[in-house]
Amino acid sequence: MSGEYVSKLEKKLSSGGFAVTAELGPPRGANENVIAEKAKLLSCWVDGVNITDNQTAIVRMSSIAACVHVLEAGLEPIMQMVTRDRNRIALQSDLLGAYSLGIRNILCLSGDHHVFGSQPDALGVFDVDSIQLLRIVDEMRRSGRDMSGYQLDTPPRMFVGAAANPFADPFDYRVIRLAKKIDAGARFIQTQCIYNLERFRGWMSRLCQEGLTEKVYILGGVTPLKSAGMAKYMAQKVAGMDIPEAVIRRMEGVPREKAAREGVKIALETIHELQTIAGVRGVHIMAIENEQAVGALVEEARLMKIPGCLEGE
Amino acid sequence: MIVAEQKPLPEIIEMVSPFKKLLILGCGTCVKTCFAGGEEEVAVLASILRLDARHKGKDIQITELTIERQCENEFIQEASEAVSANDAVLSLACGAGVQDIARRFKNTPVLPGLNTTFVGVMESRGLFTEECLCCGDCRLGMTGGVCVLARCAKKLSNGPCGGSRNGKCEVNPEIDCAWQLVIDRMTCLGTLDSLRQYCPPRDWRSSNSAGPRKLLREDMVI
Amino acid sequence: MPENYKEPIRAIALFYCVNAVDRQVVKKLEGNCQLDLRLVKMPCSSMVKEVFLLRALEAGAEAVLVLVCPKGHCQFADGNIRASKRVERTGKLLGEAGLGGGRVSINDAKLETEEEILLALRQALSQADASGIAAGSKISNKEYIPSSADGVEK
């Protein structure tokens, strides 16, 4: 049976487990030790690690290379792939390369727009969009063909995921868009950070009504806030982020030195809530440059610990 | 229309500096409508260049002329005399006009006075918006008459990204989210369901991705 | 300063809307104010165009002042707003070309006496001086002054 699953993450989700994934940002440089260090912090606590692809449009070590370092550290990578920087030829070529290097999970994204990055003068490629990329990857897995219809020798068979933002506008269309992603081949969904649980519940119940939760594993996004300032910044500046006033007030209501702890508390409460929502099959913890918080959070939430795993090894 | 804006004056001044006799050639069609290259703009630019020359103690003779279109031979002929009487032409046309002038007058340097910006509309007086990328494969019928290729910052074909907020684009809060416009319009038309359909990747060969395009109308060839 | 020093006569063009200032008061200034003053009368300040302002400079004016009705008081709705936009744009172009963006200015205060208008003219000249370019010549080249055919009566 195990042969049916291309990755441990797929296996865990398929067998009904509550999955935990985290995010790891590759360095702005060629130092693989940075990744090894971050991977150590995560190693016992997650089923998979998303490796971002030049997130916020800032040049970093490539997602593929960083995935390989993560594999060497004994963790299972989820390669993020954005359509911002590569055309369809490069994307497909990198899919073949990534698979040959042992990468088995992929998250298909359009990517943060490059005007926000360190090189806003770059050309944004956007030859295909994230839904079209999903279909490209799915087609390779199902029929073994590339976009031209060519039968590949050893086609990549990847566990394919997509992102969803339950909080972005237009709200009504968000469900249609998720359905399109599922049609295009998405098997798991990692959501935007959840602070507005009420709105998230509303979105989930719509998915349940439409029968979408039967077709896809939803992993709720969680980011522990570090300070009231971070909460306000994210609320105002980060597109598609919904942080209710109450959460900001709560962060402001504690002394500065206890703010990070309060952020973790909020994250813990969110995780517990998410576990009770029908259709939620895991959490995706995004704590970039705060990787040590992930293990603590997972342990405290009693989500999982990889059996026999010794931290820091 | 083709929308353009005048180049920064220091750039123009530098470009025309080698010439003593200059024809500033306006174009009376698109760029006139967007206040960049019609008679009035020709007159203003001529005046500025004369003031600049005087300020620097230099000699410059400027001829001002505006023709109906710089992209059609019939009108270009009207400029022949003025072109041959000058050392150079500063064309206030779009990039196509500048090239057509250059093609017709092989021995005269032709310089661009405008930056051609986009194909768009005058949304309100003085405000121009990009609306068309000339992709050669119009899908406006599928998106409620709103071009997502030209107007979505990520050229998304299958719906809005997560950065759509209050109907605005994350790239610039002054810009409408194209997908919000599509959805509003299709909701109005009662055709929102059709957006559930998958839109496959584009065939960019219809665009200039496959090289410069030519269009031949046999029936018009004499 | 040597005793025989004479302040050079400054050249300035005044474009004025007849509804903004009393024509007779303006007329009195002409030839009677120690300035080489050129007057351009307009039935509405919306008549002013960038090119007229520039041509006045070409004709030798060191500065150009446009007198318009106070905000909300244009008889033709928004002539004064249009005028201010054009003056602003002309200044921007001059500045961009390094030719003194401050040489064109606009005044929408209710100016009633010769003294008030003269003060405004002096201010316009100081502003021109502050922008670093002084043409320093008399208005000599009359062909550049707009004619009544453009709707601007001299």
Side-chain angles (χ1 to χ4, degrees):
Chain A
M1 280 298 278
S2 66
E4 278 183 33
Y5 306 119
V6 297
S7 72
K8 284 189 268 181
L9 180 64
E10 181 179 19
K11 187 177 179 190
K12 176 149 183 183
L13 285 165
S14 304
S15 55
F18 192 84
V20 179
T21 57
E23 196 167 80
L24 189 156
R28 292 180 81 171
N31 185 353
E32 79 268 28
N33 295 327
V34 175
I35 298 168
E37 287 301 316
K38 287 181 175 183
K40 255 190 217 168
L41 294 168
L42 298 169
S43 59
C44 296
W45 306 106
V46 295
D47 296 298
V49 189
N50 283 49
I51 308 300
T52 54
D53 179 4
N54 296 297
Q55 89 258 19
T56 64
I58 287 173
V59 171
R60 292 167 184 277
M61 184 188 290
S62 74
S63 179
I64 296 180
C67 280
V68 172
H69 296 310
V70 163
L71 272 172
E72 283 165 358
L75 272 163
E76 186 168 287
I78 300 160
M79 174 178 69
Q80 296 195 175
M81 190 177 249
V82 304
T83 64
R84 177 193 60 221
D85 308 320
R86 285 167 283 184
N87 72 4
R88 65 190 77 179
I89 298 171
L91 290 169
Q92 291 173 92
S93 160
D94 280 349
L95 279 170
L96 305 184
Y99 188 79
S100 79
L101 290 164
I103 297 162
R104 294 293 180 268
N105 304 301
I106 179 172
L107 187 77
C108 300
L109 305 164
S110 57
D112 298 316
H113 199 277
H114 49 284
V115 299
F116 299 117
S118 58
Q119 290 162 57
D121 46 349
L123 172 73
V125 177
F126 300 114
D127 174 15
V128 297
D129 65 21
S130 57
I131 291 184
Q132 291 159 349
L133 178 61
L134 281 167
R135 199 162 270 231
I136 294 167
V137 180
D138 185 54
E139 193 61 34
M140 283 184 179
R141 176 167 177 167
R142 284 191 299 108
S143 73
R145 294 174 191 277
D146 69 11
M147 283 178 85
S148 71
Y150 183 84
Q151 189 71 48
L152 299 161
D153 173 9
T154 311
R157 298 178 66 236
M158 298 226 197
F159 185 44
V160 196
N165 186 353
F167 310 107
D169 295 324
F171 186 69
D172 284 338
Y173 187 69
R174 289 291 147 191
V175 177
I176 298 181
R177 182 151 164 87
L178 186 75
K180 281 181 88 163
K181 289 191 171 181
I182 295 167
D183 289 348
R187 302 278 314 285
F188 70 94
I189 298 291
Q190 292 172 318
T191 78
Q192 175 66 287
C193 318
I194 301 159
Y195 298 100
N196 187 340
L197 273 159
E198 200 183 320
R199 194 158 178 190
F200 182 75
R201 268 196 214 95
W203 183 72
M204 282 303 298
S205 72
R206 288 277 292 276
L207 302 194
C208 290
Q209 280 163 24
E210 304 270 337
L212 299 178
T213 46
E214 306 293 312
K215 300 177 183 166
V216 76
Y217 308 114
I218 306 279
L219 279 62
V222 176
T223 293
L225 293 165
K226 285 199 269 193
S227 64
M230 174 184 173
K232 277 189 272 190
Y233 176 82
M234 284 168 64
Q236 285 161 13
K237 301 281 182 194
V238 181
M241 190 70 73
D242 181 353
I243 308 188
E245 260 309 302
V247 172
I248 294 172
R249 276 203 300 276
R250 191 170 154 189
M251 290 299 290
E252 283 172 336
V254 294
R256 188 177 289 264
E257 66 278 10
K258 290 192 177 154
R261 181 61 212 158
E262 194 65 22
V264 170
K265 266 199 216 162
I266 295 171
L268 279 169
E269 290 164 23
T270 307
I271 292 170
H272 287 140
E273 281 291 323
L274 290 175
Q275 286 175 298
T276 68
I277 298 172
V280 175
R281 301 295 303 277
V283 288
H284 176 49
I285 304 168
M286 289 164 277
I288 283 209
E289 304 312 330
N290 189 20
E291 282 82 2
Q292 70 279 4
V294 176
L297 195 59
V298 175
E299 186 171 31
E300 223 172 317
R302 298 174 195 285
L303 285 176
M304 63 174 287
K305 184 171 183 188
I306 292 173
C309 177
L310 295 173
E311 217 173 328
E313 277 196 9
Chain B
M1 77 182 113
I2 294 169
V3 179
E5 62 179 345
Q6 193 178 289
K7 278 183 174 290
L9 284 169
E11 188 182 338
I12 293 179
I13 289 169
E14 171 68 24
M15 241 186 325
V16 304
S17 63
F19 306 106
K20 288 206 159 41
K21 290 171 81 182
L22 182 70
L23 168 65
I24 304 185
L25 187 61
C27 180
T29 306
C30 309
V31 294
K32 176 186 173 160
T33 315
C34 63
F35 317 114
E39 296 92 341
E40 293 195 17
E41 291 74 28
V42 168
V44 167
L45 191 55
S47 190
I48 294 265
L49 291 180
R50 280 191 297 260
L51 278 168
D52 174 69
R54 188 195 298 171
H55 179 58
K56 291 174 178 153
K58 288 171 65 173
D59 252 358
I60 192 162
Q61 261 187 50
I62 295 177
T63 312
E64 301 173 29
L65 177 68
T66 298
I67 58 175
E68 189 63 26
R69 272 194 283 289
Q70 290 189 28
C71 57
E72 233 181 291
N73 198 31
E74 192 183 319
F75 300 111
I76 294 173
Q77 295 309 325
E78 293 169 17
S80 300
E81 211 174 299
V83 172
S84 50
N86 281 282
D87 300 339
V89 180
L90 178 64
S91 161
L92 300 195
C94 69
V98 176
Q99 292 182 65
D100 219 3
I101 297 293
R103 177 164 35 239
R104 311 280 173 186
F105 304 106
K106 292 198 165 45
N107 302 317
T108 308
V110 179
L111 312 164
L114 306 184
N115 287 323
T116 310
T117 46
F118 49 75
V119 173
V121 297
M122 181 151 75
E123 202 179 299
S124 58
R125 191 173 161 85
L127 177 65
F128 302 90
T129 327
E130 177 164 25
E131 305 244 302
C132 177
L133 280 193
C134 307
C135 73
D137 178 20
C138 192
R139 293 181 181 180
L140 281 168
M142 289 154 70
T143 51
V146 177
C147 179
V148 290
L149 188 61
R151 300 175 69 183
C152 166
K154 293 183 182 174
K155 299 183 169 61
L156 300 181
S157 303
N158 282 288
C161 74
S164 176
R165 194 177 218 184
N166 303 323
K168 298 294 173 185
C169 174
E170 66 172 348
V171 167
N172 179 351
E174 301 285 311
I175 296 173
D176 290 324
C177 166
W179 275 101
Q180 179 77 58
L181 298 178
V182 172
I183 289 159
D184 289 350
R185 174 118 171 110
M186 294 185 78
T187 306
C188 232
L189 298 172
T191 52
L192 190 62
D193 279 353
S194 67
L195 286 184
R196 171 77 194 259
Q197 212 181 327
Y198 170 72
C199 177
R202 275 183 178 269
D203 179 344
W204 293 107
R205 281 172 296 186
S206 64
S207 78
N208 81 336
S209 166
R213 293 165 276 180
K214 260 192 201 283
L215 184 70
L216 177 65
R217 279 282 302 265
E218 270 309 343
D219 55 327
M220 291 293 161
V221 179
I222 300 167
Chain C
M1 194 179 291
E3 247 173 61
N4 60 351
Y5 176 80
K6 268 179 80 180
E7 185 98 0
I9 292 187
R10 313 289 309 267
I12 183 164
L14 178 67
F15 288 69
Y16 68 99
C17 165
V18 293
N19 306 302
V21 283
D22 185 335
R23 197 177 166 189
Q24 298 313 318
V25 178
V26 176
K27 278 276 182 199
K28 271 191 225 161
L29 277 171
E30 214 173 12
N32 190 31
C33 66
Q34 307 293 312
L35 290 172
D36 180 359
L37 177 65
R38 183 59 47 92
L39 297 177
V40 184
K41 189 186 74 168
M42 303 179 286
C44 172
S45 60
S46 65
M47 297 290 183
V48 82
K49 285 189 175 180
E50 288 91 336
V51 70
F52 299 155
L53 305 176
L54 290 168
R55 284 181 179 172
L57 295 176
E58 280 195 70
E62 294 169 73
V64 180
L65 175 63
V66 183
L67 294 184
V68 304
C69 296
K71 245 187 204 149
H73 287 82
C74 175
Q75 294 190 8
F76 307 98
D78 53 7
N80 49 357
I81 297 167
R82 284 167 196 267
S84 81
K85 293 261 182 182
R86 290 171 192 158
V87 170
E88 193 182 318
R89 172 153 167 85
T90 310
K92 196 174 151 261
L93 290 171
L94 287 166
E96 202 185 301
L99 296 168
R103 292 172 73 194
V104 290
S105 51
I106 189 162
N107 194 319
D108 72 349
K110 189 81 196 143
L111 304 178
E112 286 171 345
T113 64
E114 283 168 71
E115 289 72 30
E116 284 173 347
I117 297 169
L118 193 57
L119 184 67
L121 288 165
R122 294 268 174 218
Q123 281 170 346
L125 280 163
S126 319
Q127 190 189 312
D129 291 342
S131 70
I133 305 287
S137 59
K138 292 179 77 171
I139 296 181
S140 53
N141 197 351
K142 288 180 185 155
E143 68 184 278
Y144 284 126
I145 294 294
S147 70
S148 57
D150 296 307
V152 185
E153 186 192 330
K154 210 193 109 198

